[in-house]
Amino acid sequence: MPPKDKDLPTLTGISFQSQEAEEKVVFLLRPHWITNLSWWLLLVVGAVIPLFLFKFLSFINLDLPGSLSINLRLILVFWWYLFLLAWAFERLVGWYFNVVIITDHRLVDIDFWGYTSRRVSETPLAKIQDATYKVTGFLPSLFNYGDINIQTAAEIPEFECRQVPNPERVHDVITDLMEKKHE
Amino acid sequence: MSNLNQAFAYWPLAIKVALLVGSGVYLVFALMIFRHVAVLGDVLTTPKTVWFRRIALGHLLASILLIFLILGG
């Protein structure tokens, strides 16, 4: 049974560039936070490297630290942490802003890559033909996230929402919205 | 190993020059990140977007500070 408007979950405080005045955001989909685990671990490893590097160089009797002033050593460490911050920030931005937005009118896919490129694709809900989801693997099953594929009759035939949390719930709402628009 | 250590006597100047050139390049990179985040914030606005702008600004200021640190060090 299609949901009534009052049944729709709506998100407040979220807007996007081409949003119309009466358009309500139902879902903002991005990969589950646990998918960032690999780079978090790399960040921790990177953060402790300066703590051990100079001791290691002294240990193998390479007197590089001794030939550097304390200021230069501090600058090198500062440089390293700045680089690490930029790298982690780039990963965080990539995760946070690459989203699929589902509104009560349409589906909008916002993709960013690099520091200069972006692509925004959208399709009306009425043109969605089919939606499927899959949850495979240990971590996805444990944290309840998975991929949702949305087939459309629009110019872009397929939208993919990867590693989104609670895919079953999202799939249900998309299906309900789709049926409502097809009525 | 002593020859190696003698060679390292010239390292501080070489490292300082390399860091200064690298910091200039890095500053351009930090400006690109700052601009990129500003664009992202225009395309998608959430309550947390402002924090991304603040971090990008902090990173930009830190990269400027790095140049002053190298010049002063």
Side-chain angles (χ1 to χ4, degrees):
Chain A
M1 183 174 172
K4 295 184 174 73
D5 278 350
K6 66 181 176 63
D7 297 329
L8 279 178
T10 51
L11 299 175
T12 52
I14 292 171
S15 61
F16 57 98
Q17 207 164 35
S18 59
Q19 188 173 4
E20 287 161 21
E22 76 286 359
E23 194 172 13
K24 289 175 185 165
V25 176
V26 177
F27 275 119
L28 179 68
L29 304 174
R30 64 170 65 89
H32 195 284
W33 59 266
I34 199 72
T35 58
N36 295 320
L37 189 64
S38 58
W39 69 262
W40 288 353
L41 292 174
L42 273 175
L43 184 67
V44 171
V45 171
V48 297
I49 280 177
L51 302 177
F52 296 105
L53 184 68
F54 288 138
K55 283 186 179 178
F56 175 73
L57 289 175
S58 297
F59 179 73
I60 61 169
N61 209 18
L62 199 61
D63 201 20
L64 175 62
S67 63
L68 295 178
S69 70
I70 188 75
N71 281 355
L72 215 48
R73 269 189 258 180
L74 282 175
I75 288 166
L76 275 173
V77 171
F78 186 80
W79 174 282
W80 174 255
Y81 282 114
L82 199 61
F83 173 77
L84 212 58
L85 169 72
W87 174 76
F89 188 56
E90 191 265 335
R91 300 301 299 253
L92 186 68
V93 164
W95 169 74
Y96 192 83
F97 286 97
N98 279 301
V99 293
V100 173
I101 300 168
I102 298 168
T103 73
D104 53 350
H105 287 71
R106 58 189 164 151
L107 188 148
V108 184
D109 184 9
I110 302 174
D111 288 322
F112 290 96
W113 64 96
Y115 288 107
T116 52
S117 309
R118 69 174 185 268
R119 182 185 62 200
V120 180
S121 329
E122 62 175 72
T123 186
L125 290 175
K127 288 203 172 177
I128 294 177
Q129 291 182 319
D130 187 35
T132 55
Y133 77 94
K134 65 175 179 184
V135 179
T136 51
F138 176 70
L139 276 182
S141 301
L142 190 65
F143 290 96
N144 189 24
Y145 66 88
D147 301 339
I148 301 172
N149 279 300
I150 299 161
Q151 312 287 331
T152 77
E155 191 179 338
I156 296 162
E158 189 177 65
F159 285 81
E160 192 178 39
C161 315
R162 300 200 64 218
Q163 300 175 320
V164 293
N166 207 351
E168 187 181 352
R169 165 86 178 124
V170 176
H171 175 265
D172 282 350
V173 172
I174 291 173
T175 310
D176 289 345
L177 284 167
M178 194 175 85
E179 286 171 357
K180 191 180 170 191
K181 291 290 174 183
H182 286 176
E183 274 177 359
Chain B
M1 194 58 75
S2 63
N3 286 339
L4 202 57
N5 284 335
Q6 277 175 355
F8 284 147
Y10 298 99
W11 271 45
L13 184 65
I15 287 177
K16 197 170 174 177
V17 170
L19 281 176
L20 204 55
V21 172
S23 298
V25 176
Y26 196 91
L27 181 62
V28 175
F29 175 62
L31 273 167
M32 277 178 70
I33 292 179
F34 182 71
R35 174 73 191 131
H36 182 57
V37 170
V39 171
L40 293 173
D42 290 339
V43 175
L44 175 70
T45 308
T46 75
K48 288 175 186 160
T49 308
V50 67
W51 282 103
F52 284 90
R53 289 185 179 180
R54 284 172 186 164
I55 294 171
L57 180 62
H59 176 248
L60 181 63
L61 293 175
S63 63
I64 294 169
L65 177 67
L66 181 67
I67 292 176
F68 283 109
L69 278 175
I70 293 167
L71 289 172

